[in-house]
Amino acid sequence: MFWRKKPDVSAATSPTVPTEKAQQNMASSLSTSPLSPGSNLSFAVGGGSGPNVVREIDNFMDGLIRRNPHEPEFHQAVFEFAETVMPFYMDHQKYRSARILERMTEPDRIVSFRIVWEDDQGVPHANRGYRVQFNSSMGPYKGGLRFDPSVNASILKFLGFEQTFKNALTRLPMGGGKGGANFNPKGRSDAEIMRFCHAMMSELFRHIGESVDVPAGDIGVGAREIGFLFGKYKQLANHYTGGVLTGKGLSFGGSEIRKEATGYGVVVFAEDMLNKHGKSMKGKTVAISGSGNVAIYAVQRAMRMGAKVVTVSDSRGFAHIPDGINDDSFAILQDVKENRRASLSEFAKEARGVTYHAGKSPWSVPCVVGLPCATQNEVDETMASLMVKNGIECLAEGANMPLTAQAIHVLKDAGVIFGPAKAANAGGVGCSGLEQAQNAQRLIWNREQVEQELERIMRSIHEQCVSYAPVKNGVVDYQAGANIASFARVADSMVGYGYL
Ligand SMILES: NC(=O)C1=CN([C@@H]2O[C@H](COP(=O)(O)OP(=O)(O)OC[C@H]3O[C@@H](n4cnc5c(N)ncnc54)[C@H](O)[C@@H]3O)[C@@H](O)[C@H]2O)C=CC1
Ligand SMILES: O=C(O)CCC(=O)C(=O)O
């Protein structure tokens, strides 16, 4: 069945744009919430969606879940995508006959391996490392490494899937991948982190390369870890190839702005969405979750745009800053998180006008703009309803999949401008692409050059979303726009390659 029809090779040369019929299909499928109230089936498609579209999504998800049991995060990411892409897919026979949706939801390969390292007391530990090489249609696999005890195949498959389409939106030559280990870096010394990274690279180096697969950072992996990983790769490979990892230190091939890029990009994207709807960030109350790499630079960029940032959080609680973070409190936040790697409660103790709320999430604090920048599924339906009640107007996802499918529907149904992760947080990987370009040229661009190029990438992503997005009650559906624009790009390449 899968291989029955011949590929439509002519499609490879003509980029696909949504037809009028597809736009109508999208409008009907998006006109009501796809989740039946009270349904226990989290992927049940119901309401007023076109019956054919609903049936196709159901059948497709049934098959995906059967082939990938016990992987809820992967199912969720694919559902979120399929739900908006299906009408477009159904309208394009060249994709359907090539079974592109089934093919693009199957990773190219997954490697998993043992990582044995020694702690400071001389005790050996074994962890599991992974690299999910999801799709290389657009270029070498590209995507971060995550160190967190929760890491498993489901989480990395969802991240690798998302990364494929995010990278396509940057229009740089990057495929999608993701990796990591179920290692908890919290409380570990620098020496332990170094030994862990060296042990991980002892296996990972066989699977990566500047034209093969180029990892970078994600949760628990920043410049320190990339330095240890790069050093070990250089030693094992016996050559200096900067382009094999991104997020490197500036002294050994890293790029200006990479550290700031994801957070800055999220705010630039939010500003573009607001501008498109006749609004702006200036003077807006902004709630941010997380206090890691993405969150810190989202705070900084939002402050520079004249917004008032009233929350940040970590896995233990959140800090409330009713008058907004200022330059002094931002410097303390950076020091607590980036240098001392301490809890946010320290930030609250040291900065003026900050209270700390242990065990609570920041989303009960009223805001006009929400930027979830911590982790997946941190905002559920209840929190989204509370945000709506509190007057939120715009939400851009800094983290990957921070909202449940139901939470997204609550916001969109209430007319909130919603920026999905694959568009809103693409600045990080976009800047990684610029780091690869500098490494290939053996040149270092200055800060202004990189920042200008990053803004150009974010603006182009915004335009691509708008050009594919339906508009409902005057609000652009960026989720559908991002999914369809990136689907078309990846699908056209896959169709062009034939049956691979
Ligand atoms: N670093 C990057 O360039 C990019 C990161 N992302 C995504 O952004 C998110 C944050 O990543 P980074 O800032 O790089 O990581 P990080 O390790 O620097 O920071 C993660 C933050 O999330 C918080 N956090 C982690 N688990 C949590 C939980 N279960 N509940 C509440 N808070 C939790 C941590 O306390 C920390 O503040 C992730 O979803 C990541 O996949 C997306 C695009 C690029
Ligand atoms: O910079 C990169 O290659 C990866 C960034 C990343 O992991 C992400 O976009 O989620």
Side-chain angles (χ1 to χ4, degrees), residues 334-352:
Q334 251 188 326
D335 183 46
V336 166
K337 282 296 174 186
E338 291 192 331
N339 302 328
R340 290 189 263 155
R341 300 175 193 272
S343 157
L344 262 189
S345 53
E346 296 299 309
F347 166 59
K349 272 186 220 151
E350 293 172 32
R352 291 169 77 115

Side-chain angles (χ1 to χ4, degrees), residues 131 142-145 159 163 166-167 174 177-178 214-218 246-247 258 262 400 425-426 428-433 436:
R131 188 71 184 163
K142 183 84 195 84
L145 295 172
L159 289 164
Q163 195 79 50
K166 180 192 309 189
N167 295 1
M174 301 187 290
K178 201 84 182 194
V214 183
D218 188 76
T246 60
R258 175 61 189 90
T262 313
N400 286 309
N425 75 25
V429 76
C431 194
S432 279
Q436 287 177 280

